[in-house]
Structures are given as C-alpha cells and as structure tokens.
Amino acid sequence: MSSVINVENLSKKYIIGHQKQERYTTLRDVLTNGAKQLADKLVHPFAVPQNDSTHEEFWALQGVSFDIKQGDRVGIIGRNGAGKSTLLKILSRITEPTSGKVSIKGRVSSLLEVGTGFHPELSGRENIYLNGAILGMSKAEIKKNFAEIVAFAEVEKFLDTPVKRYSSGMYIRLAFAVAAHLEPEILIVDEVLAVGDAQFQKKCLGKMNDVGREGRTILFVSHNVAAIKTLCSTGIVLKKGQLIFQGDVDEAVEQYMGPDNLDMNEISWDDTDDAPGNENIRLKSIAVRPFQGSTIDIDSGIEITTIFYNKTAGRSLGFTLRMFTLDGVCLFETGVVLSRDGDAKIGHFSTKVKIPPCLLNAGIYKINLAFGDRAKYALYVIEDVISFEVEHTATGRGHAARAPGVIRPILDWTHEFLR
C-alpha cells in the first residue's frame, strides 16, 4: 500500500496570555488609580503604558513524525491535552503547523466539531450541498448521495428547517452523514461522536467500518478504547504533544493504559491559570484515597475529593462524577447540587464522595467530571482527569483467585434444605 499521509517533525506552538491576579477592588481603589494614571500621563505624556499581562509558549505538538498507508484505520489516543485535536486540525488544514511538514494524498473529509462547515441560517438541505461543495464534491456527486445522507441522518422531517434550530444530536447526525457518504479518500473523525446517542454511535462505527473495507483511510480520535479497538487496526499514542507509540492497536491501547501514562491517585495544580478549566471553572485538586486503611483495595472503600474554583457568582451550581473502566465502560454516574437558588459564590468549593468497601473489583478505573448550571447547560467537562487502581483481596470469596466482572459485592444470601 502506498503512503497517503506523511508527517515529518511536526510541531505546533501557541502563545498563552496570563493576566496578573488582582485583589478585590473597591470604588476608592478605582478612583485613586484613575487619578494616579491621569497624573502620570500629564507628567510623562510619552511614556509607554505598562501591560499587566504576561505570555508564555505552549507546545501542543513537538517533533511528531509518522506515516499512514492507504486503507489504514488509525486510532489516535492520549490523555486530555496530549495534542490529538491539534494534530487533526493540522491534517485537516484548519490550522498551520509552527514547523515540520505534512504531505497528504487524496480528498480529506473531516468531522472535528459539531456542525463544522454548516451555515446556521440555511436549511439542512442547503447545508448538505454547501458542506459537500466545501469538501470538494461536484453537485452531481452530492445529488447521487443525497437520499442516502438524509436517511442515515434521520432528519427527513426537518430537512427544510434552518439548522440553527437543530439539536446537537441532529447537527452531528447530519454532519457525520455528509462527511461519511461523499466518498472521501481520507476520513478524519474527532471525539465529536460522543454527542450522539448510543444507537447512533454504533451506526457511525458501522459506517466507518464500511468506509475502511472500501480501502479508504480513517483517522479516529476517541477516549472510548473499546470503539478504537473495534474500528481500528493500528494506533498512535500521544503524550504531552509527543508521539510515544505507533503500531498495532492492541499494543497502542496497552501503552495508553500502562502505569507510566496514568496519573494515579492524586493531582493538584498550584497555578490557577495552568489548571484544567475555562472561564467558568478551574480545578484545584482531585484525590482518590482509601477511607479505611492505607491501601486502595477491595476492602478499603474509596473517598474521592475534588476542589475547584467557581469563577462566576449567581448561578445554580451542580457537580457530576462518572466512573469508567479502562476500556471505556461506564460504571455509574453520581452528582451533587452545590447551589440550588442561583446563589453560588465566587471561590473554592470542595466535594467528597465515598464508594463503599466490597463494591469495585480489582483493576484500574478512570474518572470524568462535569460542572453544570442546574443541568441546563454544561459549564465545564473533563474526561479521564484521574485514574486509580483497586488492589485484589480474597475477602468474601474463600480463595485468592481474582473474581470476574467489574464489581465484586458481598451480598446477603439465605439457603435451606428442601427435602
């Protein structure tokens, strides 16, 4: 097979601005500072104003090189901030690299964000033609695939409705249908499929399998390791902007899941600007500890403590935690309402939740966090923020063998002899 994507020593640098932290400002401070600035300007009219912000370099990618053959189905995996989305944006010609070289042979169709290439004022029908044209398709090609696109997206009733009125699920169904049915030589799909429901995700994976069997190339980013292993034959593992593995997908998953690539048990961030978050929320720390004994094992029970900074007052704040196995199976979701009546204060919040002993089986688990305004909309979501390992014990089993299954509860049994 010939090479269709060749990446040589690819790097991407961003300049991040930091505003100096200021203490609480009173009206007196504002008036005093304003008078001082006016006086300074009169005394030194040509002085250059001082900038309170600082800047630093952030390398999203550094020295990444790889080669992809025609027909390869490549899963790209890594923790948050590893550089996966930046890599796909460069390969899709959305952003330019700082240095390095990318060579691509063939027509590329990318699905990186919900509704990429859609015009909100145009209808679904008009956006199919618009998006197809953006992807380099002729009107005849689009027309040939039109009925199949509409049927796959399940938006027949809303075909002549402006897409700004579509739900996020409808948006992504239509966007994926266009990207996958217009016969690109290379299909690039980011984690955006997580927006759809489980049935549609399965449908998308089936379609990507069909695309791969037709000899076209697929690049797929996902935190769902099971989906990566199902769809892809090879894998690329990124860590902190660097490529640490390329090869068989099972080996790639082992590299991604290996102890050296997991942040175990406790993480904290001293600098708020460097912590995960956005304009709404910034994490301070997350810790997973045994709440009895000194080792996290089946008998100890687990206590998960999260500290974060709420940056905006006057909302009804909610916090959700989801726990997953390493291969992406969700065990449960739990949450707490921190403020019900729109009176959340600016400042640090601490949450703590306990998982009882003899519930989780031995193994490694991952945690996702979500912050919302009373479930109306998400303020911040972070996946795979931390992982931890539960060690094996023989409690309740009568022998030392590790039990199958994700959970290992001790349950109440009754029995009697019936003659």
Side-chain angles (χ1 to χ4, degrees):
M1 289 286 185
S2 60
S3 173
V4 293
I5 299 177
N6 180 258
V7 173
E8 297 180 14
N9 202 29
L10 189 69
S11 297
K12 177 63 178 180
K13 177 179 69 175
Y14 292 101
I15 304 297
I16 302 175
H18 299 296
Q19 197 72 23
K20 291 182 180 179
Q21 296 294 316
E22 295 181 359
R23 64 181 179 85
Y24 177 74
T25 305
T26 65
L27 178 60
R28 177 184 291 179
D29 294 330
V30 173
L31 295 174
T32 303
N33 290 337
K36 183 177 182 300
Q37 290 172 9
L38 179 60
D40 289 342
K41 191 170 184 179
L42 291 172
V43 175
H44 305 288
F46 301 107
V48 178
Q50 293 296 310
N51 192 340
D52 288 334
S53 62
T54 59
H55 296 83
E56 68 170 302
E57 296 180 351
F58 170 72
W59 289 91
L61 295 171
Q62 275 191 300
V64 172
S65 299
F66 58 84
D67 194 70
I68 294 175
K69 306 294 184 184
Q70 180 182 341
D72 283 354
R73 291 179 290 175
V74 184
I76 301 176
I77 50 182
R79 301 294 302 274
N80 290 294
K84 305 183 297 297
S85 294
T86 299
L87 174 61
L88 294 195
K89 286 178 180 177
I90 292 174
L91 296 179
S92 303
R93 310 295 190 191
I94 292 173
T95 187
E96 291 293 320
T98 303
S99 61
K101 180 182 176 183
V102 176
S103 175
I104 299 177
K105 298 176 183 177
R107 188 161 55 187
V108 177
S109 179
S110 301
L111 186 59
L112 306 184
E113 296 177 4
V114 176
T116 301
F118 279 9
H119 192 295
E121 300 294 336
L122 299 181
S123 68
R125 184 189 305 275
E126 292 165 328
N127 269 297
I128 291 174
Y129 282 94
L130 173 64
N131 207 237
I134 290 172
L135 295 174
M137 307 296 168
S138 67
K139 189 172 183 179
E141 285 180 287
I142 301 169
K143 195 170 183 178
K144 183 183 76 170
N145 291 281
F146 186 87
E148 192 174 351
I149 291 170
V150 174
F152 188 93
E154 302 171 7
V155 294
E156 294 94 333
K157 292 181 180 178
F158 308 97
L159 198 54
D160 295 305
T161 301
V163 296
K164 68 180 180 181
R165 297 197 175 94
Y166 283 18
S167 68
S168 58
M170 293 166 63
Y171 235 115
I172 196 60
R173 290 203 302 270
L174 187 58
F176 180 86
V178 173
H181 283 82
L182 296 183
E183 301 178 357
E185 283 86 9
I186 301 168
L187 177 62
I188 298 177
V189 182
D190 204 343
E191 186 73 82
V192 68
L193 290 182
V195 174
D197 58 38
Q199 184 178 357
F200 186 72
Q201 289 180 36
K202 185 176 180 180
K203 192 175 179 180
C204 290
L205 289 173
K207 180 60 182 177
M208 286 193 283
N209 255 323
D210 294 342
V211 170
R213 281 196 293 267
E214 292 169 2
R216 288 178 273 169
T217 305
I218 297 173
L219 274 67
F220 180 42
V221 164
S222 178
H223 284 94
N224 187 332
V225 174
I228 290 283
K229 293 177 75 171
T230 298
L231 176 67
C232 303
S233 55
T234 63
I236 286 174
V237 184
L238 296 177
K239 182 179 181 181
K240 296 180 179 179
Q242 298 182 324
L243 188 148
I244 63 171
F245 180 83
Q246 181 185 12
D248 178 76
V249 68
D250 290 329
E251 293 183 49
V253 169
E254 287 179 12
Q255 285 278 337
Y256 171 57
M257 293 180 173
D260 292 341
N261 296 315
L262 295 171
D263 295 319
M264 301 293 282
N265 295 15
E266 297 191 29
I267 314 174
S268 62
W269 296 270
D270 295 328
D271 188 343
T272 302
D273 291 332
D274 291 336
N278 56 17
E279 70 278 5
N280 299 307
I281 300 290
R282 287 285 177 182
L283 291 181
K284 176 65 177 175
S285 65
I286 179 168
V288 183
R289 303 185 182 101
F291 67 78
Q292 54 188 36
S294 58
T295 302
I296 297 177
D297 58 32
I298 291 171
D299 300 331
S300 70
I302 300 164
E303 184 177 79
I304 303 170
T305 303
T306 306
I307 300 175
F308 67 92
Y309 191 80
N310 178 45
K311 301 181 72 174
T312 304
R315 58 184 168 212
S316 301
L317 191 60
F319 174 77
T320 301
L321 180 148
R322 287 182 179 176
M323 186 171 292
F324 292 81
T325 63
L326 269 181
D327 58 0
V329 176
C330 183
L331 301 186
F332 61 82
E333 175 183 287
T334 183
V336 61
V337 176
L338 304 173
S339 171
R340 293 185 180 275
D341 301 315
D343 56 357
K345 298 178 181 179
I346 295 175
H348 286 95
F349 284 79
S350 176
T351 69
K352 187 175 291 186
V353 64
K354 291 184 178 181
I355 300 171
C358 300
L359 178 63
L360 295 181
N361 204 349
I364 298 177
Y365 300 89
K366 305 182 296 183
I367 291 174
N368 293 3
L369 302 178
F371 303 84
D373 189 344
R374 286 295 299 274
K376 293 178 182 176
Y377 58 88
L379 300 172
Y380 178 61
V381 177
I382 182 168
E383 297 178 333
D384 298 354
V385 63
I386 198 169
S387 57
F388 64 95
E389 183 170 10
V390 177
E391 295 187 10
H392 173 72
T393 66
T395 302
R397 300 234 354 123
H399 56 82
R402 185 189 185 280
V406 175
I407 62 173
R408 205 192 75 170
I410 296 178
L411 304 177
D412 290 330
W413 285 76
T414 63
H415 61 90
E416 59 180 308
F417 175 68
L418 301 174
R419 59 181 180 174

